Amino acid sequence: MLRPRLTSVRVRTTLAATAAAAICFGSGALWLRHELYDNRFQASTAQTAIGAWALADADASGIGRPPADGSTRWLAIDGDNHVRATESTDRRRAAGLTGHGDLPAKVDPARLRAGRRHLASGISQVTVRLDGRPATFVAADVPAGTRTFVAADVRAGARTGVTYFVLVSPAEAEAAVDAVDPVLATGLPVAVLLVAAVAWFTAGRALKPVAALVEAVSDGLAAITSAELDLRVPVPDTGDEIEALALTANATLNRLEEAAVRQRRFITDAAHELRSPLAGLRNTVEVARAGALAADRPAALDVVLASARRLQDLTEDLLLLARLERPGTRPEHHVDLAAIAEEQVAERRYGGGGRVAFTAVVTGPAVVTGDQLQLERLVRNLLDNADRHARAAVTITVSAGGAEVVTEVVDDGAGIAAADRERAFEPFTRLDEARARDGGGSGLGLAIVQDIAARHGGRIQVDNAPGARFTLRFPAAAT
């Protein structure tokens, strides 16, 4: 049974889902915390602005300042950036003291003046650093000459406007954030762990058929031998990609079995074909060695030569089939099939001694793209096959029309039965007696024709008219 490893799909899927959940939930928690703090701080700013205006109105009307609680920090600055009053001077005056009080935490009044900005809500606000941290003040203006403050550094009779700056306390915003921090600190890990658990469970359920398939494939492939090629992977009835994968694996095993069967049959047939000429050679040599052929030595040598030629032809055909089965690119030359057909027919017509009359019918150049030697071999094999089975005549017709080049080879023999037309292209295939291979062929001619045609992007079919008619269709070469 396969167990999850650190590099397994289940572990990696769970880790990826957990990391994504941690990033999403963490970002959401930070955003929520920021929004909560910002909204609550804006509410505090609005409340502080109301207090600032009340403080300014009270001072401008001469009624006096409203009582300040322990958290209120404020200061008043005139138009020349002189401090007119602070929270501490206000308290001193309440105790009967006069003089200039200290600015809280040494805030530069000039920076307060320079940093003022008016918000859309009508609140004038400024942010400076106070005690090493950003601090926000809201401002309320008092018209010039409404009241004279007692301050040591203010010129007598100065009639300049006064601005009150009141510190916005972040206490309520921090309290609101502090209230949700424990919830986030507890809920965030729980949510991430929950996502991890769900991802682990879901990935396990989804990958369970895959694990079973992998285990079955491993066991099945280990059990497959040359004697047992019919074993297959179990196909789960899930209707998803797992079922498609199992079907693909079985299709691959089917092709491997078919290839192995064809290979064994090919080796058996090749050995059978090689055995006949080898036996003839051996018998002739043994008889000649015994001296029985002394009077007829030329005839014996003719038998040996014929057997040797047959062996040579068979060996060359086997080597050609092996080369054609290897993947590779074919030469991209322009080849005229009409010229090849005329040349092949001319050789047979004027060679003399033939029992069959060959005729070539061409309507002009028929150019395809491919290998000259292979296409010559294709035409030769078709004509040789027709020659062996024709009674008196063989006709080859080559025509080019549109995007195709069509080649037809027709003989006037007995034809091929419909049930045997597919088998005719298999190596060493034995058909009925009417088209049995005679001693002049290797039994691989039509198999070579089919492989060459497929390699050049063509297709071949056979029917009767009334003898055998082989029709080849190739893509025409681009001009």
Side-chain angles (χ1 to χ4, degrees):
M1 186 69 181
L2 297 178
R3 295 182 179 180
R5 298 176 297 174
L6 293 179
T7 57
S8 67
V9 176
R10 186 180 189 183
V11 172
R12 285 182 289 159
T13 302
T14 302
L15 291 177
T18 303
I23 293 174
C24 293
F25 292 159
S27 301
L30 292 176
W31 175 83
L32 176 62
R33 193 176 187 277
H34 175 268
E35 288 296 313
L36 183 62
Y37 183 92
D38 187 65
N39 291 337
R40 195 65 195 89
F41 189 79
Q42 291 300 323
S44 298
T45 301
Q47 293 177 356
T48 304
I50 296 175
W53 285 110
L55 180 66
D57 289 342
D59 182 71
S61 62
I63 300 175
R65 298 179 183 85
D69 57 25
S71 62
T72 303
R73 302 179 68 176
W74 62 270
L75 68 158
I77 304 175
D78 63 14
D80 296 326
N81 287 335
H82 294 138
V83 177
R84 301 292 298 267
T86 67
E87 181 183 1
S88 57
T89 59
D90 181 52
R91 290 175 178 173
R92 287 177 180 176
R93 279 196 297 274
L97 301 175
T98 61
H100 179 343
D102 294 331
L103 197 65
K106 300 181 180 178
V107 177
D108 185 1
R111 291 182 61 189
L112 284 175
R113 280 286 190 185
R116 285 184 64 183
R117 63 190 180 96
H118 293 277
L119 303 181
S121 59
I123 301 174
S124 182
Q125 178 178 317
V126 65
T127 301
V128 297
R129 296 195 68 81
L130 182 63
D131 295 332
R133 298 173 58 186
T136 300
F137 289 80
V138 292
D141 295 325
V142 177
T146 57
R147 185 173 180 179
T148 301
F149 287 94
V150 178
D153 58 348
V154 178
R155 293 169 297 170
R159 299 178 61 83
T160 58
V162 179
T163 301
Y164 289 83
F165 291 91
V166 182
L167 177 67
V168 180
S169 174
E172 293 186 2
E174 291 176 351
V177 171
D178 291 341
V180 299
D181 279 347
V183 178
L184 295 177
T186 303
L188 182 61
V190 171
V192 172
L193 290 177
L194 179 61
V195 170
V198 172
W200 178 265
F201 176 77
T202 304
R205 289 291 300 272
L207 295 174
K208 186 177 181 180
V210 177
L213 179 62
V214 170
E215 188 172 3
V217 169
S218 301
D219 296 341
L221 293 179
I224 292 177
T225 63
S226 59
E228 294 180 339
L229 293 175
D230 57 344
L231 297 180
R232 294 296 179 266
V233 174
V235 179
D237 187 14
T238 56
D240 55 9
E241 293 82 358
I242 308 304
E243 182 179 354
L245 178 61
L247 293 174
T248 302
N250 285 338
T252 303
L253 292 175
N254 288 337
R255 290 193 296 270
L256 291 175
E257 182 183 9
E258 292 173 359
V261 171
R262 285 197 307 268
Q263 184 180 24
R264 284 201 298 262
R265 186 171 63 240
F266 183 83
I267 294 174
T268 302
D269 293 340
H272 178 76
E273 294 294 326
L274 290 170
R275 184 172 59 182
S276 297
L278 285 175
L281 278 174
R282 179 177 178 178
N283 292 334
T284 304
V285 172
E286 288 178 349
V287 172
R289 184 179 180 184
L293 298 177
D296 198 9
R297 182 173 298 175
L301 292 177
D302 289 341
V303 173
V304 171
L305 182 59
S307 298
R309 286 176 176 172
R310 185 173 174 184
L311 285 172
Q312 183 179 7
D313 292 342
L314 182 59
T315 303
E316 290 178 355
D317 288 345
L318 290 173
L319 291 175
L320 178 58
L321 273 178
R323 287 195 298 268
L324 292 175
E325 289 180 356
R326 289 200 301 264
T329 57
R330 68 175 186 272
E332 297 295 326
H333 302 307
H334 283 184
V335 181
D336 187 358
L337 285 179
I340 293 177
E342 290 180 326
E343 180 182 354
Q344 294 281 341
V345 168
E347 290 179 0
R348 296 167 187 273
R349 181 181 298 167
Y350 299 110
R355 64 178 181 83
V356 177
F358 286 87
T359 303
V361 178
V362 298
T363 59
V367 182
V368 299
T369 302
D371 185 287
Q372 174 83 25
L373 295 178
Q374 290 184 11
L375 291 173
E376 288 179 354
R377 181 62 179 271
L378 178 145
V379 175
R380 182 181 299 112
N381 284 6
L382 284 176
L383 293 177
D384 287 344
N385 179 76
D387 187 13
R388 285 193 296 272
H389 303 292
R391 293 188 178 93
V394 173
T395 302
I396 179 170
T397 304
V398 182
S399 61
E404 283 188 333
V405 172
V406 180
T407 301
E408 289 185 353
V409 177
V410 181
D411 64 61
D412 59 352
I416 302 176
D420 295 331
R421 289 171 186 172
E422 293 294 330
R423 296 176 52 243
F425 297 99
E426 296 179 1
F428 307 115
T429 297
R430 293 290 192 275
L431 298 180
D432 55 76
E433 291 297 329
R435 300 194 59 88
R437 180 187 55 79
D438 61 8
S442 65
L444 299 174
L446 293 181
I448 292 175
V449 168
Q450 187 179 50
D451 285 354
I452 294 176
R455 193 176 183 86
H456 287 74
R459 60 188 187 277
I460 185 171
Q461 65 182 31
V462 58
D463 54 13
N464 292 336
R469 176 172 58 190
F470 291 86
T471 303
L472 282 154
R473 300 180 184 275
F474 291 101
T479 57

